[in-house]
Amino acid sequence: MILTVTLNPSIDVSYPLDHLKIDTVNRVKTVRKTAGGKGLNVSRVIHLLDHDITATGFIGGYFGKWLENQLDHDGIAHNFFPIDAETRSSIAVLHDGGKQTEILEAGPTIAPEDASAFLDHFDKLLDQTDLLTISGSMPQGLPEDYYTQMIAHAGAKNVKVLLDTSGATLKSALEAPVKPLLIKPNEEELAGLLNRSVDKTDYATLKQALTDPIFDGVDWIVVSLGSAGAFVKHQDKFYHAAIPKIQVVNPVGSGDSTLAGLAIGIHDGKSDEDIMKTAMTTGMLNTMEAETGFVNPAKFAEYFAKVTIETY
Ligand code: ADP
């Protein structure tokens, strides 16, 4: 099975408003609440494409229960580690013709004993896992190398790891002896890692950036480029995955959907070309839906056929 990690899940609340009024009352008629956090977007897309997944991470309180019920309702298997603190919620106000104002809670602080007990819980799940995805930032209280420790646990059990994070946690994972199989940095994250700016429209510069020794030992590097598709390194091969022009409804979560596609393609042992085509298709299908981290599987074949891969 595929195991997805969301250490800091969230109830994502969206409030659509014609106009956001400051310093007074705003009343909303329709409220949408979903199980969120980047890893849960990944989970939903993998599940929608008919693959076995289990979601894990830390969960707590009444909000945590609500979130687990929501996953049950969606048919997504989960095995979270319970903590005493309440799971967070994140509010997005969609207003004034396309503006999005977000209020994000930091979420619970993980106690050292919970951090250590989670690794035992995680080890048991790894026994039934072929491929692991780790997404997003970490909750407070965990050491910077916590993902790195998880990757080492996965490596000891020959589980492939796809890592989608940034900053110090990504840097720590790249410096460790056991590397993730795949990382998915964007332009900003690449610049942060390399200490210089990287122009994502210049593929020669991108290619050079991805050959930096900091990435040695990482099999796959996927730099997603929004409507321009993605620039990809797999071992010593470089590719540009090009996508057709589509009608974008909501691009939030497309990076997570791309990771879901990569997970499915790699899990199923597909060719490089098909792995990239799957990932571009899941990314595109997500942008075509109002719901975040959601794809319509009925459109998969049509859009898969429209992705083109060039070696670079
Ligand atoms: P992230 O959310 O990680 O920044 P991107 O915005 O690069 O990710 O999008 C990930 C993938 O989703 C892209 O590689 C592409 O397949 C699809 N996608 C995103 N934005 C668009 C768009 N405007 N048009 C078509 N496809 C898109």
Side-chain angles (χ1 to χ4, degrees):
M1 79 173 179
I2 299 174
L3 181 67
T4 62
V5 169
T6 316
L7 290 188
N8 202 7
S10 150
I11 298 180
D12 287 350
V13 184
S14 97
Y15 292 144
L17 281 175
D18 287 339
H19 172 56
L20 176 65
K21 293 175 282 182
I22 304 297
D23 202 24
T24 184
V25 174
N26 292 272
R27 292 184 195 281
V28 282
K29 289 198 192 83
T30 42
V31 181
R32 189 197 288 255
K33 294 184 182 168
T34 49
K38 286 167 70 66
L40 291 181
N41 294 336
V42 176
S43 311
R44 199 175 309 110
V45 173
I46 294 175
H47 170 73
L48 286 165
L49 292 171
D50 245 351
H51 280 64
D52 267 355
I53 94 112
T54 297
T56 192
F58 295 102
I59 209 148
Y62 290 107
F63 285 157
K65 271 274 155 286
W66 185 93
L67 207 145
E68 286 181 314
N69 285 341
Q70 190 64 32
L71 292 173
D72 287 340
H73 175 264
D74 292 344
I76 298 172
H78 54 87
N79 197 334
F80 279 86
F81 182 84
I83 55 172
D84 284 339
E86 197 68 51
T87 287
R88 65 182 173 147
S89 36
S90 308
I91 295 171
V93 186
L94 314 170
H95 61 99
D96 298 276
K99 289 195 178 136
Q100 182 160 337
T101 301
E102 298 191 17
I103 298 168
L104 308 179
E105 291 179 30
T109 299
I110 307 300
E113 53 276 22
D114 284 338
S116 146
F118 175 78
L119 290 177
D120 295 334
H121 174 83
F122 176 61
D123 262 334
K124 290 189 195 104
L125 291 170
L126 284 177
D127 288 334
Q128 307 140 50
T129 302
D130 310 302
L131 185 143
L132 168 72
T133 69
I134 302 178
S135 305
S137 56
M138 293 192 299
Q140 306 169 93
L142 296 176
E144 232 159 51
D145 70 346
Y146 196 71
Y147 282 160
T148 305
Q149 294 180 43
M150 291 173 69
I151 294 165
H153 281 240
K157 301 200 177 200
N158 284 320
V159 173
K160 299 182 173 106
V161 183
L162 278 51
L163 176 68
D164 185 9
T165 188
S166 58
T169 46
L170 175 57
K171 197 154 183 281
S172 159
L174 293 175
E175 285 167 354
V178 184
K179 313 280 182 193
L181 179 83
L182 179 147
I183 58 170
K184 205 186 79 50
N186 61 23
E187 185 183 23
E188 222 172 279
E189 285 150 10
L190 273 181
L193 287 169
L194 300 172
N195 271 326
R196 59 184 154 90
S197 64
V198 179
D199 176 3
K200 67 176 183 182
T201 60
D202 176 357
Y203 299 155
T205 316
L206 264 182
K207 183 172 173 177
Q208 202 195 4
L210 301 191
T211 46
D212 191 281
I214 195 171
F215 301 118
D216 283 357
V218 179
D219 247 37
W220 285 90
I221 309 172
V222 178
V223 183
S224 64
L225 305 168
S227 60
F231 191 81
V232 180
K233 176 176 188 274
H234 180 215
Q235 294 172 345
D236 52 359
K237 298 183 292 286
F238 293 83
Y239 305 95
H240 175 240
I243 57 177
K245 198 163 172 41
I246 53 169
Q247 193 69 42
V248 174
V249 178
N250 170 19
V252 181
S254 38
D256 303 330
S257 305
T258 301
L259 193 74
L262 291 164
I264 288 170
I266 292 173
H267 176 268
D268 293 353
K270 297 282 195 221
S271 65
D272 284 9
E273 187 163 331
D274 283 359
I275 290 169
M276 289 181 276
K277 284 187 174 179
T278 304
M280 291 303 97
T281 307
T282 47
M284 280 190 287
L285 294 185
N286 176 75
T287 68
M288 296 161 74
E289 304 291 327
E291 196 179 324
T292 297
F294 186 85
V295 297
N296 179 354
K299 293 183 180 165
F300 187 89
E302 180 190 347
Y303 285 89
F304 183 92
K306 292 180 178 169
V307 182
T308 53
I309 309 289
E310 290 167 58
T311 51
Y312 203 84

